[in-house]
Amino acid sequence: MGLLGTIQQSKGALDAAQIGLQVVGNNVANANTPGYIRQELQQASAVAVREGNLIKGHGVRPTGIVQVVDEALFERMIDAKTALSGAETLEKAYSQLEELSTDLDNTGLSQQFSLFNNAVQELSTQPGDASLREFVILQGQTLADNIRGARSKASDRQQAWDGELKDVANDINRLTTRIAKLNLEIATIEGGGLIQSDATGLRDQRYRDLEELAQYVDLNIQEQESGAVSVFVAGDYLVNDGISRDVASVYSEKRGALEIRIIETDSPLDVTGGQLAATMQARDGVFGEYITGIDRMASALIRSVNEVHSQGQGREGYQQVLSSSKGNANVPLPDAGLPWTPKNGTFDMNVVDESGDVISTHRIKVKNLGQVTDSTISSIVADIDAIEGISATVTSGGQIEILSDSPASSFTFGEDTSGFLAAAGINTFFVGRSAVDINVNESLKNDSDFLAISSGGIGEDTEVLSRMLDLVDRPVDDLEGRSVRGIYESTIATMAQKISLQGSEADGLRDFYATLQGQHLAITGVNIDEESIKLIAYQRAFQASSRVISTATEMLDILMTL
């Protein structure tokens, strides 16, 4: 290699320095561009040539312009993004639930329990006071209204979270479609991996889209030799080269709510993290568990109050009663569809005259022993109908209707060891099965004289009121020894604890993600000072190569003049 070879060698160095200057200039130009990943010129020594006993280098050759990115760190960062997005979604859900429940400041349902109990307490001291009877019914109605209202608000929020799944599905489809399109463009411009340079701009956009997609679902990203990426979620791919799979929010009979399914395979998108998983957890877990707790509390309140009230007598007897519960009249009681199953036992019915004196007392058997001869609603109604002075039937709607045969007589109810009266909704204070439909019995709202006070006869005692005192705070066997108020307060206490824990978790993940993001930006971001140093280095290299060419040219001119 002579002087011409030297000039050619330096010419390659000039080209490399010029390309390096262009790369530096592009980095500086995008220093403030969001999501831009800085580039770096990769160079290698040209293949050496042997001349005699010497092996001479042929200078430098640019091998590619690549992005400076730590793929392992990027994957950790988007995993943290997934976890953070899920945590913030749940934090938002718990914040909404906290707004619904005013018990955290002692003005909610727990306070309503106390007001209802206080009203019963006042009536027990003056059972003949009509205004106090009205007040007990009013406080019961207020309690029922607040329970229904609390559940309704939580249910509305739950449905709103269910509706957000549609937006999540649309965002996932938007991103996967764009990533698939970018895959094709990147693979094309990079020559299917044959060119060693990265597709600037296209890869930047794909990194941003992958990071945004990670907000919704937990991703497994695998880059192919062609430069395209495959995106998997729990073993199912959403993107493979230039192909993307759309998802849709579909009603699931199993869940009883919407779920995200892959349209092509009609299989659920099995996610464990991100906004999608957190949205379903907010719907089914956060609000679902709260609603379940409200329903359980309301059911326990209805049953405990009604089992006491249904065995008592007010200030007058009934001329007509229509049960609030509906059931299948011709099957055994466990299959009749009542709110709960009556036990094996009995209940009393009394026929009374206009002054409330007992004309006759009748004990109705309720048989529930798992035998063929067990009672049905129809058989119990038939026994009631057999009482002289009383008629009883099962309506077409499955309700029990009991009528007095004479205007001069009426009927009352007494001791019930079976719980049938409360289960059937006869002579009860509350009606309904849960927080959805809890209400005060319409007959009490129409006439407070039907409010049960006595257990020994009309005007005989205040035993029923005494048993209703502190009923909401009394341990109940069906509630594992907890009280009605205890069930609700346990729900509130658990909620408060979860709100605190979720807030701490979200704060921790925000710090962790910020740390990883800082590390990522330290690698991928443009540092003006560093680029200035590279600029000077390429400039000096260009000047030195130019000087080599100038010197070699002068030497060549000397040779030509000899």
Side-chain angles (χ1 to χ4, degrees), residues 269-557:
L269 191 62
D270 189 14
V271 294
T272 58
Q275 186 175 330
L276 175 54
T279 297
M280 290 191 289
Q281 186 178 344
R283 179 194 65 192
D284 302 332
V286 177
F287 287 96
E289 289 177 5
Y290 178 76
I291 289 172
T292 299
I294 291 285
D295 282 340
R296 189 182 184 197
M297 176 272 297
S299 297
L301 175 66
I302 293 168
R303 181 171 183 175
S304 58
V305 172
N306 285 352
E307 284 185 339
V308 174
H309 190 277
S310 61
Q311 303 180 62
Q313 302 88 42
R315 295 177 59 83
E316 61 180 60
Y318 288 102
Q319 284 285 320
Q320 177 184 6
V321 165
L322 183 66
S323 69
S324 59
S325 298
K326 301 177 181 179
N328 190 335
N330 299 313
V331 298
L333 294 176
D335 303 320
L338 296 175
W340 59 87
T341 303
K343 299 177 291 187
N344 190 70
T346 61
F347 66 87
D348 293 341
M349 286 197 67
N350 309 304
V351 180
V352 298
D353 59 20
E354 292 179 323
S355 62
D357 294 330
V358 177
I359 299 175
S360 61
T361 298
H362 306 270
R363 180 151 291 178
I364 307 298
K365 293 182 178 180
V366 178
K367 190 174 181 181
N368 185 9
L369 298 173
Q371 300 175 355
V372 177
T373 56
D374 280 359
S375 299
T376 64
I377 293 178
S378 292
S379 68
I380 294 172
V381 169
D383 291 341
I384 297 174
D385 189 57
I387 299 174
E388 185 176 353
I390 296 177
S391 298
T393 58
V394 178
T395 67
S396 58
Q399 294 174 277
I400 299 173
E401 185 175 32
I402 306 174
L403 301 170
S404 173
D405 292 339
S406 171
S409 64
S410 56
F411 55 88
T412 61
F413 301 91
E415 183 181 3
D416 182 3
T417 61
S418 67
F420 176 79
L421 293 174
I426 297 174
N427 191 31
T428 58
F429 186 89
F430 289 114
V431 297
R433 293 173 177 250
S434 67
V436 175
D437 55 358
I438 183 174
N439 211 333
V440 172
N441 197 323
E442 200 66 30
S443 62
L444 297 182
K445 291 190 283 187
N446 293 334
D447 189 348
S448 64
D449 283 341
F450 288 129
L451 180 65
I453 295 174
S454 170
S455 64
I458 294 176
E460 292 295 324
D461 54 55
T462 58
E463 178 65 24
V464 170
L465 283 180
S466 298
R467 290 171 61 192
M468 287 180 65
L469 277 175
D470 301 320
L471 191 61
V472 295
D473 295 313
R474 199 173 301 159
V476 180
D477 291 339
D478 292 334
L479 298 179
E480 296 86 34
R482 291 184 291 177
S483 66
V484 174
R485 193 204 299 261
I487 285 289
Y488 180 68
E489 291 185 344
S490 175
T491 300
I492 296 300
T494 301
M495 181 189 73
Q497 184 181 31
K498 288 182 177 180
I499 289 172
S500 177
L501 290 174
Q502 191 60 50
S504 299
E505 180 182 353
D507 288 340
L509 286 171
R510 272 190 284 267
D511 292 340
F512 181 58
Y513 174 70
T515 299
L516 293 177
Q517 192 177 40
Q519 294 174 358
H520 176 70
L521 289 174
I523 296 172
T524 63
V526 177
N527 186 310
I528 298 298
D529 293 335
E530 290 182 5
E531 298 303 318
S532 297
I533 294 172
K534 288 181 182 180
L535 185 66
I536 294 172
Y538 285 126
Q539 181 185 15
R540 295 301 187 195
F542 190 91
Q543 290 172 343
S545 296
S546 299
R547 183 61 179 166
V548 171
I549 292 174
S550 177
T551 302
T553 302
E554 290 177 4
M555 293 173 67
L556 187 60
D557 288 341

Side-chain angles (χ1 to χ4, degrees), residues 94-111:
Y94 278 117
S95 177
Q96 291 176 352
L97 186 59
E98 186 177 16
E99 292 173 4
L100 294 180
S101 174
T102 55
D103 281 279
L104 297 180
D105 58 8
N106 201 33
T107 60
L109 289 179
S110 185
Q111 181 70 10

Side-chain angles (χ1 to χ4, degrees), residues 187-199:
T188 300
I189 198 172
E190 292 181 357
L194 298 178
I195 299 176
Q196 300 303 310
S197 295
D198 292 338

